[in-house]
Amino acid sequence: MSELIEAVRAGRTAEVVGLLDGMTDAERRAQSPGLKALRKELRSARWDAASRRAYPALHAAGAACQTGAAAAASWITAADMRWSGLSPAVLLHVLGDRDAEWLADVAHRIADRPASAWVPYELMAGLVRLSGCPVPTTDAYVRGWVQHMGGTWQRGDTILDRLRGDAYLTDLVAALFETHDIGNALEWGTGDGPNSWSDALARLTVEGALDRAATVDACVARLLRGGTTADQRAFLRVLRSLALTREEQRERVADWSALASDAASAVASHAQSVLGSLALDGELTYRQLAEVSEAVLFRTERKLVRAQLVLLGKVLARDPAAADELLPAAAQAFEHEDADVRERALKLMERHVKKVRSAEVRTGLALAAERLWPALRARAVATLGAAPVDAMATVYEEVLPPVPRPARLAPAPSSVTELAEEVGAAMAADAGVTGFERALDGLVRHAYGNREDLLEALEPVVARRWWADPRYLGADRRYGDLRHGMLETADALDLVLATLCEKTRTDTLHSGLQQGAPTRNCVHAALSRAFEARVWEVAYRIRTEPLPLLLSTPTWSTGLLEPDELVTRLDTYRRMGARVGAADFAQALLRVRREDRSVAEAAARRASALGTAEGTRLARWLTAGKPLPPVVRRRTSGPRILAESGEVLELQEDFPASFRALGRPVSAFGESRYCYHWSNALRAQWPAMVPERRELLAVRLLRDLSGLAVDDTRGTASVLPLLAESGGEAGEATHLGVAYGLGARHPEDRLAAVDALLVLAARGQLDASRLGADLGQLVRRGAVKPTRLAESLRTAAATGANATIWGLLSHALPVLLADLATDGPTGPIRGLGDLLAVAAECAEQSGARGELPHLACTADRRGASRLVREARRLRGALMPVEVAA
């Protein structure tokens, strides 16, 4: 072993540097193979004490002993060297005797690495300085430069002082405007004060260090390209700091128009203010103003749209001749989703329509007004000459999505190669009920008759599993602890694979099989234990007495199992003399379809003819009638409305202990709220376990679903569409779950709840009065925020379900308006105006008529708040003048 290798292994970095300084290039090259071998040795135990001690010296020695620039750059930036802790100054020292061209090559190669490689900026900048090469303007270099310049806590100067002394300022600032997602780095630690990037760049343009025109153009171009919110915010600050002159603003009218039309709200607002100032000073043509107005009025942000209407009103008040150009543009707002915007646009028309000279423009405004909804269109008939509403031509037709049809599961793969691919895919990502059940059934079938070929095909899948690593000594360490159960669907497949590969002990599998009733005191325990019981049984039987196939594999994606198919599988067991698995058969009973009585009774006769105990049990189950839902009672807990259910006796008889808990009473308070069942992938399997017993599942998920609205949790609503597509009664718990989902904090959860709502409506299972009353109570108790609910209901109504949404709100709003009518202790609920706006839109679209309790008291209140305006609008829609008279 050479002296250098010994010093590296001992971690004596200073000694290594000294030895390298005295070596020739040939001597350094001769050390390279030994250093590579040492690196390979240390990599196998990277985090032990010896490796951590040696890595800094190895980092320096390996970089110095590479002859090629590519090899040196690769060694310096390697992933295993990333955390060596070696100072960039040491690397610069050992590399400093190379020629400038070689150093420049290394500098540009390491600067080309992604920012995630964490190459120190000091190293890149030092190599640029030593070589005298042009500065790299790569993503990694620019990010490093920004972070280095912004490190104010390390020195007493400012960002401006540091930028003034940078020899590459012009090139790097130009690259800064081209770097994606740099906004957070520009704002971090500096904000918007005098020691900020925006202030420094503005001052440098004043001083002449940066070309002002080029900087302004680059900044505007960066905003036009869009990007992350942080980018838009940061570069908008730079633009504002530059304080453009009126001449500079006039030169970029097209850019301001594009930004006002398409940029993020904050950027669009700035562009709108610039254009507004130009327009009011007469420096914008009416055609230009009309074009940008048409684009802005198409945006969804009410603040921007209202500001544009105000601007148009000011210009029209100054010059009546602008009416022919501007009023047709303002008519774009007649189709805006916000009712207040539509009314403001109509008021603008009413105020200025007399200034229009062209008959063609007047005709166009009248036609545009026909797009208004009935309440406003009635006003437009008199002021704009719009055609009256034709009652015969406006018959409303509700549009609901088609009823979802479940997909039939394809048979398990007949090829072990195809099965291995499906198992690998199911373990890498959530494969849903279909993917999981096909994988599990395929493993059972091939383990029974084709075990050796199956194991060979599974080798690539098994090689990536944690339990296959020799350091883990198999899967017993994980599965021997039964307290936490299976946290993901991949855990279930892992157990089966580990059993196939002899990585679990038989006594571990037997312990899992014998768990019996769940001992964990959480509301999900009954579901998780029933799910796990079948998997433990499959694994144990693979080891001791393989099953020929699974009885409980569903026929449909919802989890339903056709009775004739189950009878056929039992007949296969009878002919093969195979013993039925208790958990597998119990799951099959819970899945078998019983709602179609004629099909169930015909299958029962076939089952009885089998002459087996399971056939007799199945026949009795199929002829027992449709499953009865549990008795559900409402309970309250703080702002929440929860539910609890009574006992389901049918599930207590002739079922294994691991399944009986599904039929036991569920308390809203007795079970612990803290558990390990947070996986959405695992939760998605539960509806398929009890596909004709929707309430049985919903009552156990209700507290989780309430967290979407009350605690701002995320993800649980993904189960709501599955519940909506399930069978059985959609009762108290299901409707409450949808109500919480409609008030969820996160948009994706609200969309899932909207999907569930529309599916229930399309299937004729939505109780609008129940859901509406629940929503009213939840809003009143503070569990659901009205603004979130309004957004969800507006989304649902936009699909064409206006009558459905009006049906909900007609039962929710009286609950919320009652306190206002009786001068309750609390004032109007914040956001109630949003709900009234959605109700008014739905009533106008669907042609709803009648009186809404307590609405008149709200509509008769003084003032012009949104609450009062929308209440009056809703009253006008429900009781038009001709009807009220």
Side-chain angles (χ1 to χ4, degrees), residues 182-499:
I182 195 68
N184 283 324
L186 291 175
E187 293 185 318
W188 190 77
T190 63
D192 201 20
N195 187 38
S196 65
W197 276 92
S198 56
D199 182 70
L201 294 175
R203 292 194 186 191
L204 289 169
T205 61
V206 173
E207 296 171 4
L210 294 174
D211 181 82
R212 181 175 175 84
T215 304
V216 172
D217 285 342
C219 190
V220 173
R222 185 67 182 80
L223 292 173
L224 284 168
R225 283 200 304 275
T228 64
T229 301
D231 277 1
Q232 297 282 285
R233 184 173 59 241
F235 288 110
L236 178 60
R237 284 178 174 172
V238 174
L239 184 64
R240 285 174 169 160
S241 297
L242 290 170
L244 271 59
T245 65
R246 181 48 59 94
E247 180 61 29
E248 289 172 325
Q249 292 175 345
R250 278 198 301 268
E251 291 172 355
R252 296 171 175 82
V253 167
D255 294 333
W256 306 131
S257 298
L259 291 172
S261 303
D262 299 316
S265 293
V267 178
S269 179
H270 176 76
Q272 184 185 49
S273 66
V274 173
L275 290 170
S277 177
L278 292 172
L280 293 175
D281 289 347
E283 298 182 271
L284 207 65
T285 67
Y286 296 142
R287 184 67 256 153
Q288 289 174 320
L289 179 58
E291 287 174 355
V292 72
S293 296
E294 288 177 353
V296 172
L297 294 175
F298 191 74
R299 296 184 65 123
T300 57
E301 300 96 327
R302 290 181 293 187
K303 184 177 180 180
L304 289 174
V305 174
R306 291 171 182 174
Q308 196 67 24
L309 290 174
V310 170
L311 174 61
L312 291 175
K314 289 180 178 179
V315 174
L316 287 167
R318 290 188 177 195
D319 187 359
D324 284 26
E325 289 275 8
L326 300 185
L327 285 184
Q332 294 293 323
F334 285 166
E335 292 186 277
H336 197 273
E337 66 178 26
D338 185 71
D340 183 60
V341 167
R342 295 193 295 270
E343 187 169 5
R344 285 171 183 259
L346 180 58
K347 287 181 179 179
L348 182 69
M349 296 288 177
E350 292 171 338
R351 193 177 302 119
H352 300 287
V353 70
K354 294 180 181 178
K355 301 172 184 177
V356 175
R357 302 180 207 175
S358 168
E360 183 179 352
V361 171
R362 284 181 175 273
T363 302
L365 294 177
L367 289 173
E370 293 178 8
R371 300 196 296 266
L372 290 167
W373 290 355
L376 294 180
R377 186 171 169 182
R379 285 169 49 183
V381 170
T383 57
L384 302 182
V389 178
D390 183 354
M392 297 299 295
T394 57
V395 175
Y396 175 73
E397 183 177 353
E398 183 83 343
V399 178
L400 293 171
V403 176
R405 295 187 179 277
R408 192 179 188 98
L409 265 69
S414 57
S415 160
V416 290
T417 303
E418 183 183 350
L419 173 62
E421 292 175 354
E422 290 200 13
V423 170
M427 300 185 79
D430 178 22
V433 172
T434 300
F436 174 76
E437 292 292 345
R438 277 172 50 83
L440 187 62
D441 188 39
L443 289 171
V444 168
R445 289 173 183 267
H446 286 287
Y448 181 80
N450 201 12
R451 188 187 186 103
E452 296 304 321
D453 290 344
L454 174 62
L455 288 172
E456 183 179 351
L458 287 171
E459 283 180 0
V461 178
V462 168
R464 297 192 294 269
R465 305 315 300 169
W466 56 269
W467 45 263
D469 190 322
R471 292 176 296 176
Y472 282 96
L473 301 176
D476 286 300
R477 184 175 178 182
R478 160 71 178 86
Y479 290 107
D481 182 0
L482 304 175
R483 291 173 298 171
H484 298 162
M486 296 174 185
L487 308 182
E488 296 280 354
T489 50
D491 282 342
L493 295 176
D494 262 325
L495 177 61
V496 176
L497 290 181
T499 302

Side-chain angles (χ1 to χ4, degrees), residues 531-791:
F531 175 84
E532 293 167 13
R534 185 171 66 128
V535 179
W536 280 108
E537 181 180 80
V538 165
Y540 182 73
R541 291 289 297 271
I542 284 176
R543 175 65 53 80
T544 59
E545 185 185 358
L547 299 165
L549 53 87
L550 285 179
L551 296 172
S552 55
T553 302
T555 308
W556 303 100
S557 57
T558 57
L560 278 175
L561 172 58
E562 289 297 327
D564 280 337
E565 194 166 339
L566 178 54
V567 174
T568 300
R569 293 174 187 174
L570 284 174
D571 189 33
T572 301
Y573 267 73
R574 179 188 62 80
R575 287 186 287 102
M576 298 178 69
R579 183 169 61 87
V580 171
D584 184 30
F585 184 55
Q587 178 62 88
L589 292 179
L590 289 177
R591 283 178 168 168
V592 72
R593 186 164 66 95
R594 295 195 286 173
E595 286 188 342
D596 189 329
R597 300 310 306 151
S598 60
V599 172
E601 289 168 4
R605 290 191 290 272
R606 284 187 59 207
S608 294
L610 293 177
T612 63
E614 289 78 18
T616 303
R617 172 79 174 95
L618 174 59
R620 189 167 68 250
W621 180 260
L622 290 172
T623 55
K626 293 174 61 175
L628 296 175
V631 177
V632 176
R633 299 175 296 277
R634 296 164 69 99
R635 301 290 298 273
T636 59
S637 174
R640 289 175 167 88
I641 299 176
L642 300 175
E644 56 188 18
S645 64
E647 189 172 30
V648 180
L649 292 176
E650 188 180 40
L651 299 182
Q652 301 294 304
E653 303 168 356
D654 298 330
F655 272 89
S658 53
F659 281 78
R660 289 176 194 158
L662 290 171
R664 291 176 186 159
V666 177
S667 169
F669 307 107
E671 290 85 358
S672 171
R673 304 179 211 169
Y674 307 102
C675 66
Y676 295 89
H677 306 112
W678 54 69
S679 166
N680 287 330
L682 189 59
R683 196 179 284 123
Q685 299 289 329
W686 293 343
M689 292 171 56
V690 284
E692 286 189 336
R693 296 176 177 275
R694 182 167 23 206
E695 285 290 281
L696 202 68
L697 175 61
V699 75
R700 288 175 165 82
L701 292 177
L702 193 53
R703 183 173 282 277
D704 296 338
L705 292 168
S706 71
L708 295 166
V710 179
D711 303 321
D712 293 348
T713 56
R714 184 194 293 266
T716 313
S718 60
V719 78
L720 287 174
L722 302 177
L723 272 179
E725 295 176 27
S726 291
E729 178 188 352
E732 192 89 36
T734 300
H735 281 77
L736 275 171
V738 173
Y740 284 118
L742 293 172
R745 162 68 175 82
H746 299 284
E748 65 271 22
D749 290 319
R750 293 198 295 270
L751 284 175
V754 168
D755 286 345
L757 168 69
L758 295 175
V759 168
L760 287 173
R763 297 183 69 187
Q765 296 173 339
L766 180 69
D767 187 336
S769 60
R770 168 183 278 169
L771 180 56
D774 286 343
L775 288 169
Q777 290 296 336
L778 290 174
V779 171
R780 189 171 184 270
R781 297 173 67 88
V784 168
K785 291 180 172 58
T787 50
R788 297 176 185 173
L789 176 59
E791 184 176 338

Side-chain angles (χ1 to χ4, degrees), residues 24-52:
T24 65
D25 287 348
E27 289 172 333
R28 291 187 182 187
R29 283 195 296 272
Q31 296 292 334
S32 185
L35 291 170
K36 290 179 180 178
L38 178 58
R39 178 186 179 186
K40 183 177 181 181
E41 176 188 333
L42 296 178
R43 193 183 293 164
S44 63
R46 191 182 306 170
W47 304 113
D48 66 10
S51 295
R52 292 199 301 271

